[in-house]
């Protein structure tokens, strides 16, 4: 087993890494890969050249490929992920609320707003109950609601909740009831559709009637419902034994006969949702602040995925300076599972309806501090809003943010707003760059040093601006980017000559070799 396989990478990916002659993961890879594979949101900072790109690309490639394989073999979708039939709905829920793949555990890490969810099924006549257990600290309110109720349970006429602070609420009226509850407490929620009553038990102790329902209110079905603020709860609708027995004559909701059960129509198709491959709806979107970085990341992805067959992962580079029609026709005809791009062109394709975010489950911001400084905060937030927080097959949107520093105010603010309990991997300042790498600091200013005009013949660059109209004397961003590369190449060659460093055979000496100069 290779070192990368020990960190959870597939043998096919590990083989591609072997070909690159990487023997061990770098520190950021050793920390980042298992975190992303484990399903978490990750914020990472490490020195330039520490291998950040592979730290997020490798696990994303792996999960995207496994998902494609599952779709191909018909393994994903409602049939398996939304079972049993009584589950919390992945459709009828607040945007920041996550429903686990079995539909029996829900979590919201939003600590400023309440986010709720309703069950896929409800009951009408009869006496029914279910159990809700508080599995993490936070605020929660649990109970019953009709399909008309909003998801903030207890704040309109149609929802009836019991909250952890020891209050019952309906129609925004909060009254003392029972006693407070918290982590590990089990709340039994009881609905009596025959006598028009809702009551609760705490750890098996009956807290007495909470709400009386009149005839008109009983004309409709009641659904288990919960609303959370930075909290987590798990549910048992009766497919396992209850922790505390129900009072006499009550039965678990799961045993309600068909004629007494209503389906959650707010959650249309939720029980038959199937993950599908849609050509223009990728599973991963990676945003880079410059064309050069986008191209580098894209090339790394191509290297890493080369041994992953049936299905093949489809990738697309979406950057400016390339004919947009080609990108559109690639999306329509071949399709893409992973897209690496820069904000401007991504925005054009999304706005034009050519690129859909409906299947996106990885949202990566590389060099996020750079993106935010360039004014893309609104763009990032808009994309995030459009992405489903849980995909059709029940997978949570994962966000990965790389930044030169995790302590920048804008990065922290964005992480707080958009990310879901991210793990911080902060290796900034730690020496992650091998000793064989020499650092050279030179001031590069192509507007002062015009020597790049003559260097064009002998310093080869990465060609990112090959299609652009880059001419000596021009001050366009493309011309200056090209000029910086030429000057960096020249200064490095001079530094090597000056210090008589040895350079690997494929590297910089002599100055006419194939090394291409990039902007990083
Ligand atoms: N585990 C590894 N073993 C050997 N070489 C590696 C390893 N991981 C990455 N590299 C190489 O190290 C170099 C830097 O990697 P990479 O570009 O991913 O770093 P980065 O942290 O993303 O840099 P930047 O901040 O410039 O984007 C690349 O040439 C890459 O091929």
């Amino acid at each position: 087993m290779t070192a990368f396989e020990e960190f959870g990478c597939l043998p096919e990916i590990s083989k591609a890494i072997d070909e690159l002659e990487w023997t061990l993961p770098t520190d950021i890879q050793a920390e980042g890969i298992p975190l992303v594979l484990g399903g978490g949101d990750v914020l990472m900072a490490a020195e330039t050249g520490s291998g950040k790109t592979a730290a997020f690309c490798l696990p994303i490639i792996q999960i995207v490929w496994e998902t494609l394989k599952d779709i191909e073999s018909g393994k994903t979708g409602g049939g398996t992920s939304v079972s049993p039939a009584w589950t919390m709905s992945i459709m009828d829920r607040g945007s920041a609320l996550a429903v686990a793949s079995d539909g029996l555990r829900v979590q919201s890490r939003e600590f400023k707003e309440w986010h709720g969810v309703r069950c896929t099924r409800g009951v009408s006549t009869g006496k029914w109950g279910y159990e809700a257990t508080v599995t993490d600290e936070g605020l929660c309110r649990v109970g019953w609601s009709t399909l008309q109720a909003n998801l903030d349970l207890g704040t309109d006429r149609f929802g009836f909740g019991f909250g952890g602070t020891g209050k019952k609420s309906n129609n925004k009226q909060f009254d003392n009831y029972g006693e407070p509850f918290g982590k590990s407490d089990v709340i039994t929620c009881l609905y009596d559709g025959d006598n028009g009553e809702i009551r609760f038990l705490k750890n098996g102790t009956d807290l007495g009637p909470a709400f009386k329902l009149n005839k008109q209110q009983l004309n409709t079905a009641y659904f288990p419902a919960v609303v959370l603020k930075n909290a987590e709860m798990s549910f048992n609708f009766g497919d396992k034994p209850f922790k505390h027995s129900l009072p006499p004559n009550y039965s678990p909701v799961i045993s309600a006969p068909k004629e007494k059960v209503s389906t959650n129509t707010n959650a249309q198709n939720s029980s038959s949702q199937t993950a599908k491959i849609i050509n223009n709806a990728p599973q991963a979107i990676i945003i880079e602040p410059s064309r050069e970085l986008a191209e580098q990341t894209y090339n790394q992805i191509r290297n890493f995925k080369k041994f992953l067959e049936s299905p093949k992962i489809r990738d697309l580079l979406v950057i400016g300076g390339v004919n947009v029609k080609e990108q559109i026709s690639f999306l329509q005809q071949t399709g893409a599972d992973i897209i690496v791009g820069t904000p401007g062109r991504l925005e054009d394709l999304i706005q034009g309806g050519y690129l859909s975010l409906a299947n996106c489950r990885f949202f990566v911001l590389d060099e996020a501090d750079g993106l935010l400084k360039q004014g893309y905060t609104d763009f990032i937030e808009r994309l995030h809003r459009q992405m489903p927080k849980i995909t059709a097959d029940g997978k949570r949107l994962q966000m990965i943010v790389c930044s030169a520093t995790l302590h920048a105010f804008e990065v922290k603010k964005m992480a707080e707003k958009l990310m879901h309990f991210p793990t911080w991997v902060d290796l900034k300042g730690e020496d992650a760059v091998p000793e064989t790498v020499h650092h050279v600091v030179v001031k590069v200013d192509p507007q002062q040093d015009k020597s790049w005009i003559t260097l064009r013949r002998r310093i080869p660059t990465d060609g990112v601006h090959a299609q652009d109209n880059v001419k000596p004397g021009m001050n366009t961003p493309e011309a200056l980017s090209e000029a910086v590369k030429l000057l960096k190449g020249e200064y490095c060659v001079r530094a090597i000559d000056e210090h008589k460093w040895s350079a690997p055979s494929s590297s910089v000496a002599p100055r006419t070799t194939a090394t291409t100069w990039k902007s990083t």
Side-chain angles (χ1 to χ4, degrees):
M1 192 187 267
T2 68
F4 280 89
E5 278 174 72
E6 277 176 31
F7 282 88
C9 289
L10 286 167
E12 291 88 340
I13 293 181
S14 176
K15 192 171 163 197
I17 295 170
D18 259 0
E19 272 201 359
L20 296 172
E21 297 181 3
W22 299 3
T23 42
L24 284 173
T26 63
D27 289 349
I28 193 81
Q29 291 161 3
E31 290 215 31
I33 293 171
L35 286 171
V36 180
L37 286 178
D41 280 10
V42 185
L43 263 168
M44 47 177 119
E47 296 295 334
T48 291
S50 55
K52 282 196 295 291
T53 317
F56 63 80
C57 286
L58 291 171
I60 289 178
I61 290 171
Q62 175 152 333
I63 294 173
V64 165
W65 185 73
E66 282 171 342
T67 307
L68 288 174
K69 231 178 151 48
D70 282 350
I71 294 173
E72 227 183 44
S73 62
K75 264 203 225 151
T76 73
T80 51
S81 67
V82 190
S83 163
W86 282 82
T87 60
M88 282 306 184
S89 168
I90 59 168
M91 308 298 277
D92 193 13
R93 64 178 172 86
S95 60
L97 185 134
V99 180
S101 57
D102 63 2
L104 298 176
R105 193 160 49 88
V106 300
Q107 184 194 62
S108 173
R109 290 301 173 210
E110 170 61 62
F111 52 88
K112 288 186 197 124
E113 291 164 16
W114 290 91
H115 283 261
V117 61
R118 211 178 338 253
C119 189
T120 50
R121 307 272 157 124
V123 279
S124 45
T125 52
K127 294 181 173 171
W128 310 108
Y130 70 92
E131 275 186 354
T133 304
V134 184
T135 40
D136 203 357
E137 305 292 353
L139 296 174
C140 37
R141 199 153 63 233
V142 64
W144 300 88
S145 76
T146 73
L147 286 184
Q148 279 171 285
N150 69 36
L151 289 170
D152 193 354
L153 182 69
T155 59
D156 63 15
R157 292 190 289 133
F158 309 105
F160 301 85
F162 171 36
T165 52
K167 305 242 186 239
K168 60 178 182 175
S169 63
N170 166 244
N171 207 12
K172 283 206 184 118
Q173 189 173 325
F174 292 78
D175 294 317
N176 289 337
Y177 170 76
E179 52 185 89
F181 63 87
K183 193 169 172 190
S184 306
D185 284 330
V186 180
I187 304 302
T188 308
C189 305
L190 301 169
Y191 168 76
D192 179 349
D194 299 333
N195 300 307
E197 187 186 272
I198 287 173
R199 68 167 66 211
F200 299 90
L201 315 183
K202 177 185 162 189
N203 298 326
T205 304
D206 193 341
L207 302 174
F211 304 101
K212 285 282 174 202
L213 304 176
N214 61 34
K215 257 206 174 134
Q216 200 194 351
Q217 286 173 309
L218 286 173
N219 265 342
T220 181
Y222 282 78
F223 292 73
V226 66
V227 64
L228 305 175
K229 197 190 257 187
N230 194 18
E232 188 184 288
M233 279 193 115
S234 68
F235 294 85
N236 181 0
F237 296 113
D239 64 316
K240 331 186 263 282
F242 282 145
K243 270 225 168 114
H244 305 282
S245 39
L246 296 176
N249 303 324
Y250 280 87
S251 309
V253 282
I254 209 164
S255 61
K258 249 193 188 158
E259 64 278 9
K260 295 192 174 181
V261 174
S262 299
T263 303
N264 185 342
T265 46
N266 296 348
Q268 215 113 51
N269 299 330
S270 72
S271 57
S272 60
Q273 283 289 309
T274 311
K276 284 192 279 251
I277 297 175
I278 305 169
N279 272 359
N280 70 338
Q283 290 187 55
I285 292 197
I286 301 170
I287 306 187
E288 300 280 352
S290 71
R291 287 191 212 172
E292 286 83 355
L293 283 170
E295 203 160 272
Q296 284 167 33
T297 301
Y298 173 74
N299 288 337
Q300 290 220 25
I301 290 174
R302 304 215 96 184
N303 277 332
F304 298 145
K305 64 154 210 180
K306 68 194 254 195
F307 295 112
L308 290 169
E309 296 285 345
S310 34
K312 277 252 176 224
I313 293 178
R314 302 159 308 163
D315 42 39
L316 178 64
L317 179 66
V318 170
I319 54 175
V322 175
N323 189 342
V324 71
K325 284 197 187 129
E326 280 170 29
Q327 292 167 353
I328 293 171
S329 97
F330 189 93
L331 274 173
Q332 286 168 342
Q333 276 152 35
T334 309
D337 306 302
I338 301 179
I339 285 189
V340 185
T342 44
R345 187 54 65 85
L346 278 170
E347 171 112 78
D348 291 345
L349 293 180
I350 294 165
Q351 294 258 327
Y354 301 108
L355 175 59
S356 157
L357 304 175
N359 265 353
C360 188
R361 59 164 304 196
F362 286 106
F363 187 29
V364 182
L365 306 178
D366 195 10
E367 314 240 335
D369 42 345
L371 285 166
L372 298 176
K373 261 194 220 119
Q374 286 177 40
Y376 289 117
T377 311
D378 285 351
F379 168 71
I380 291 165
E381 289 186 8
R382 195 155 9 97
L383 258 56
H384 185 264
R385 266 199 304 280
Q386 289 174 41
M387 290 174 184
K389 303 305 169 291
I390 307 269
T391 57
D393 56 340
K395 308 275 171 36
R396 200 178 63 74
L397 173 70
Q398 259 179 279
M399 199 165 164
I400 298 153
V401 173
C402 302
S403 171
T405 168
L406 299 183
H407 303 285
F409 174 71
E410 300 81 17
V411 176
K412 272 192 183 167
K413 201 167 128 199
M414 186 202 56
E416 209 172 79
K417 194 160 178 191
L418 306 185
M419 296 180 83
H420 196 90
F421 259 57
T423 306
W424 290 46
V425 182
D426 193 353
L427 303 181
K428 192 74 189 177
E430 289 185 24
D431 205 0
V433 181
E435 279 171 22
T436 46
V437 174
H438 301 284
H439 290 91
V440 181
V441 180
V442 274
K443 190 163 180 268
V444 178
D445 183 351
Q447 281 168 304
Q448 289 284 322
D449 182 351
K450 304 273 187 199
S451 66
W452 61 275
I453 296 164
T454 51
L455 291 173
R456 295 181 86 211
R457 268 168 281 122
R458 57 173 193 261
I459 300 282
T461 65
D462 57 8
V464 167
H465 295 296
Q467 310 287 326
D468 295 327
N469 191 15
V470 173
K471 286 202 189 101
M474 286 177 84
N475 278 346
T476 61
E478 290 79 15
L480 293 177
S481 168
E482 185 69 3
V484 166
K485 287 175 209 168
L486 292 162
L487 287 174
K488 273 167 62 177
E490 174 63 13
Y491 294 161
C492 284
V493 172
R494 279 193 221 154
I496 289 165
D497 289 347
E498 179 77 15
H499 293 275
K500 308 214 167 14
W501 287 325
S502 63
S505 54
S506 65
S507 189
V508 288
R511 58 175 78 207
T512 47
T513 58
T515 297
T516 54
W517 296 95
K518 301 174 184 165
S519 66
T520 53

